[in-house]
Each structure stands twice: as C-alpha cells, then as structure tokens.
Amino acid sequence: MRIGVIGTGRIGTIHANTLSRHREVGSLILSDVDPARAQDLAYRLGETAAPGVDEIFRWGVDAVVITAATSAHADLIGRAARSGLPVFCEKPIALDLPGTLHALAEVENAGTVLQMGFQRRFDKGYAGAREAVRSGRLGRLHTVRALTSDQSPPPPEWLPLSGGLFRDTLIHDFDVLRWVTGREVVDVYATGSDAGPAMFREAGDVDTGAALLTLDDGMLATATATRLNGAGYDVRMELAGERDTVVVGLDDRTPVASTEPTGPPPADKPWPGFLERFGPAYEAELCAFVDVVRGGLANPCDGREALQALRIAEACEVSRHERRLVALAEIPDRLG
C-alpha cells in the first residue's frame, strides 16, 4: 500500500512515523507547503518527498492522509474524492458549514471513504466510558461533565485561523460526548470569557468557554475549555448515572491537586500537551485507517460524524454571540 501524506508539520510527522512503521504500508509520498520540511522528514524515514501536492496525485497512491493547514482541508478532500481515493483528514473538514457540506457532498457523490481524525474515540479511557454506558453499569445517565484545558495559549498569529475555542478545542468534547453516550444534542447555551491576554480579544475569540447542553433523552452535559491552565494539560469526562459514576482522564499525570488532608498527591509529571496525552490514540486511529483502506474495518468516524460535532460548535458560537438558547435544529445539516 502506498499512502500520500499532505502536510509534514507536528501532527503530520507523527502520522508519517506511524504509517512508515506499519507492516501493511509499503511506502509513503510526503508533501508540504515547505518542500524542504517534507524532504527532511522523508530522508529521516527512508520515504519519498514530492515537490508538491500535484505529484502525490500524479504519481499514484492508494490513499491520502491530510494534515495540511485547515484552510486546505476541504479542497484536498474534494480532490481525493474525485480521484477515487480514501482519505484520512485531521479535523475539521472546514471552519464553516458551507465548506464542510460541499466537501461531504463530493465524498458522497464519489462513493469514497473519508475518515476524520477525532482521536479520543481511540483512547482507552473514553472507550471504557462508552462500554460502561452501553453495558448499563451506570444506569440512566443524568449528568456528563467534560473539560479540555490547554496548559499554555497558542501563538497569536494562529488564533484568527483556528475557528475559535468552540470549533477548534471543544469540538473534540462534542464529538466524544455523542460517541460515548450514543445520544444527540438538542440545544445549547454557551458563553465565553476573553479576560485573559489581549490577543484573544484582538482575534474575536475567547480564552475560556463553557456550554450547557441538553441531550435528546433529557440528560444534561457541561463542556468547558480554557487556553490558560498553567498546571498542565487536563482533559477529563465525568459520567454520572443513577447506579454509578466513572471518570475519564484521572490518573497519576492529571494536573489537579486535592486540598483534602487525605487526598492524593499532585502529579509529579503532569501532561504537557495533547500529543503526549493522546499519543497511543493517534497511532490507533491511523492503524484503523489502514484497515479501512484494506477493507477489513468499517469507517469508525466518517465525515457526517464530524459534521454533527461542528453543528454543536456552531450552535455554541451563535449562543455566545446572541446570548440565548440555541436549538440544533437551527443549524443546517445539508446544503440548501
């Protein structure tokens, strides 16, 4: 199997390393907007670098992995679909609904595969929570609490390109909330604070956000995020039911400290970021993609799943700006 990897930045390098080691992958073709960066990675991995994206499609590959800049995702997905190629793409498909819906239409018209990179679906903790819910161990869920806290903010120049805290960060919580519970969000109320560094206000974004979500069985969920969690990278989900409660992301590296006299000690080595926290999950999702391409596995996270998470994020942005409850039915799920 020959796979083209478009984008050799931080996450692209990780994915290329995973694929280069995979026994079912014979070779990779790497490309990047900075050809020297692609060439350097290709040399280190013993793979081939292409001068640009055109060569990946012209030289011929069996599948494409897209880890390029977000602004390029939709066009690259469409190009791969028109070429009849299965695609793995880091989230999001696009930063807006029209771009997302157009790309999905191209995939559906071509009858090709699009697997989205929501790596939390491949994390053992979240998988365990899903099993606890589906097995009935927790009883009827009444409350879910999710949080994502980055240790330090991203570069100022990246913020205007990110889509904002709800689309860029909390979208992971929205996706895994649906995946773990098996329920759909029906309405949201969201708000945010830009009281931190001025760069967030200048970008029209917030450094901290919170959403209250009502699901279709009446369950309540909260999802919060911040870019300014100095203690470390903290991602957790608490699921409380009538029989039991479980927590995802609570281990000896969780950056929390108890004030109780008999509480656990603070983490010696708190998680510094998402690549360390979810390293095994990133590898697992790429291995799953190889199995999908080979025909041995159904797509574990298709483009329509990504659309639903984006619709929740869009509803949160509308709610934040208009300071009101927003029903998901207000957010379109198809081209008009």
Side-chain angles (χ1 to χ4, degrees), residues 75-93:
D75 286 344
L76 290 170
I77 289 169
R79 185 169 184 179
R82 293 189 296 274
S83 299
L85 295 172
V87 174
F88 175 93
C89 184
E90 279 299 324
K91 67 86 188 170
I93 294 173

Side-chain angles (χ1 to χ4, degrees), residues 70 95 158-165 167-168 205 227:
T70 296
L95 288 177
W158 182 80
L159 283 175
L161 309 175
S162 72
L165 187 67
R167 297 187 190 94
D168 176 58
D205 197 5
R227 305 281 199 187

Side-chain angles (χ1 to χ4, degrees), residues 42-126:
Y43 177 78
R44 287 187 278 123
L45 295 179
E47 303 289 357
T48 301
V53 171
D54 290 347
E55 284 76 13
I56 283 187
F57 291 98
R58 190 161 60 242
W59 292 354
V61 293
D62 300 300
V64 172
V65 171
I66 299 171
T67 59
T70 296
S71 58
H73 287 187
D75 286 344
L76 290 170
I77 289 169
R79 185 169 184 179
R82 293 189 296 274
S83 299
L85 295 172
V87 174
F88 175 93
C89 184
E90 279 299 324
K91 67 86 188 170
I93 294 173
L95 288 177
D96 60 7
L97 278 170
T100 298
L101 292 168
H102 278 290
L104 286 176
E106 292 227 57
V107 171
E108 291 169 2
N109 289 339
T112 52
V113 170
L114 169 60
Q115 180 183 329
M116 294 303 300
F118 281 102
Q119 86 282 355
R120 294 187 194 182
R121 293 177 176 228
F122 297 86
D123 177 75
K124 290 183 178 179
Y126 284 105

